[in-house]
Amino acid sequence: MALSKILQNNTSTGYINLPAGTTAQRPSSPVAGMVRVNTTLGFTEEYRSGAWKEISNTFSATGGTESTYTSGSINYKVHTFLSSSTITLNGLGAFDSLIIAGGGGGGANGGSGWQGGHGGAGGYLAFSNSSIGLSLGANTVTVGAGGAAATNGTNSIIGNQTAIGGGHGGQGDYPGAGKPGNAGGSGGGGGQGYNSPGPGAGGAGTSGQGFAGASATSAPYVPGGGGGSSGTPSTGGAGGAGTSNSIRAGSAVTYAAGGGASTGAGGANTGNGAKHLLAGGSGIIIIRYAI
């Protein structure tokens, strides 16, 4: 009997069992109107206009610290990862995400206490309405640690995206030359230096994630500020600006700022770079979707 007749004559209030199988098990010669459950992708699909198209695809996930909030009449569910873990997808779809790497540590002081440069911010990546390469089932979430003094921060990784750890500040020295800041998500600042070639140069940032650190200056001798996710450091050892994001709870929070003369350690789950001699802030990963 034709499917249309079965549906027309069916008065049950229960259900109809649809055929289910993997993507590889799709019919070899499909025709328009075929409907099935795709167990690989986790949704019901139909064949139309020469291709398989999804019908139902309700995205949901478990993992991290789960919370909800409402903004602009939209209810959101949030998964916040403060340390490495897993996120398990029960359906596929697009979502918003924020990926921050660990911030760079401040540089070491050198001879006669001449100061090291300040640490660069961890790489900053934000995506809207993207799946970032996650698949059904368990996916690894790696949250980068902040770098200890004179050490880069470590990368944060989820799906097909990697935020690069912040570069550490360069070592200061006297009577020698200051060392350059390290490259990273944002670059570390150069260390104070006296003799040729004098002050250390700032480290490079990663395109799309952060900015370069500042070089140290001479007369006056000031260590370079760490690069931030939103800009280069200013003169006088200040760090580059971070970036404001409201994904976590609807209220703006600034992440991935460069270390500078007036800052301290990077702080937990900020991705901030640190002042010389101090540790950078650990990273954070946040997933948000409408419910």
Side-chain angles (χ1 to χ4, degrees):
M1 183 181 295
L3 177 60
S4 60
K5 284 293 186 180
I6 294 174
L7 295 177
Q8 179 180 353
N9 296 332
N10 180 23
T11 59
S12 170
T13 57
Y15 62 90
I16 295 175
N17 264 341
L18 293 177
T22 66
T23 298
Q25 292 172 325
R26 283 170 171 166
S28 58
S29 300
V31 296
M34 286 184 172
V35 179
R36 67 193 294 273
V37 176
N38 189 312
T39 57
T40 301
L41 301 178
F43 53 70
T44 304
E45 60 185 2
E46 64 172 329
Y47 192 81
R48 54 184 163 84
S49 302
W52 287 102
K53 311 283 188 178
E54 66 184 63
I55 297 176
S56 64
N57 186 10
T58 303
F59 179 83
S60 64
T62 55
T65 299
E66 299 181 12
S67 59
T68 59
Y69 70 93
T70 301
S71 178
S73 301
I74 300 175
N75 297 321
Y76 290 105
K77 184 173 183 180
V78 180
H79 301 263
T80 302
F81 295 88
L82 306 181
S83 59
S84 298
S85 184
T86 59
I87 184 168
T88 301
L89 271 57
N90 304 310
L92 292 179
F95 46 84
D96 302 329
S97 57
L98 178 66
I99 309 165
I100 308 292
N109 289 352
S112 300
W114 278 44
Q115 295 176 355
H118 309 300
Y124 177 102
L125 291 173
F127 298 93
S128 178
N129 196 35
S130 172
S131 64
I132 60 171
L134 295 184
S135 58
L136 278 177
N139 296 261
T140 299
V141 178
T142 302
V143 176
T151 304
N152 276 21
T154 57
N155 299 345
S156 288
I157 306 169
I158 182 171
N160 57 17
Q161 298 298 320
T162 299
I164 306 299
H168 69 75
Q171 181 176 324
D173 199 13
Y174 180 88
K179 301 301 187 292
N182 254 30
S186 285
Q192 283 181 332
Y194 184 71
N195 284 338
S196 180
T206 299
S207 178
Q209 298 194 23
F211 289 80
S215 298
T217 60
S218 57
Y221 294 96
V222 177
S229 57
S230 285
T232 55
S234 61
T235 58
T243 304
S244 177
N245 194 298
S246 59
I247 186 174
R248 186 173 183 182
S251 300
V253 175
T254 298
Y255 300 94
S262 62
T263 64
N269 303 114
T270 61
N272 292 345
K275 184 178 180 179
H276 68 96
L277 299 179
L278 299 177
S282 54
I284 190 170
I285 293 178
I286 303 172
I287 299 295
R288 180 187 79 167
Y289 49 94
I291 54 175

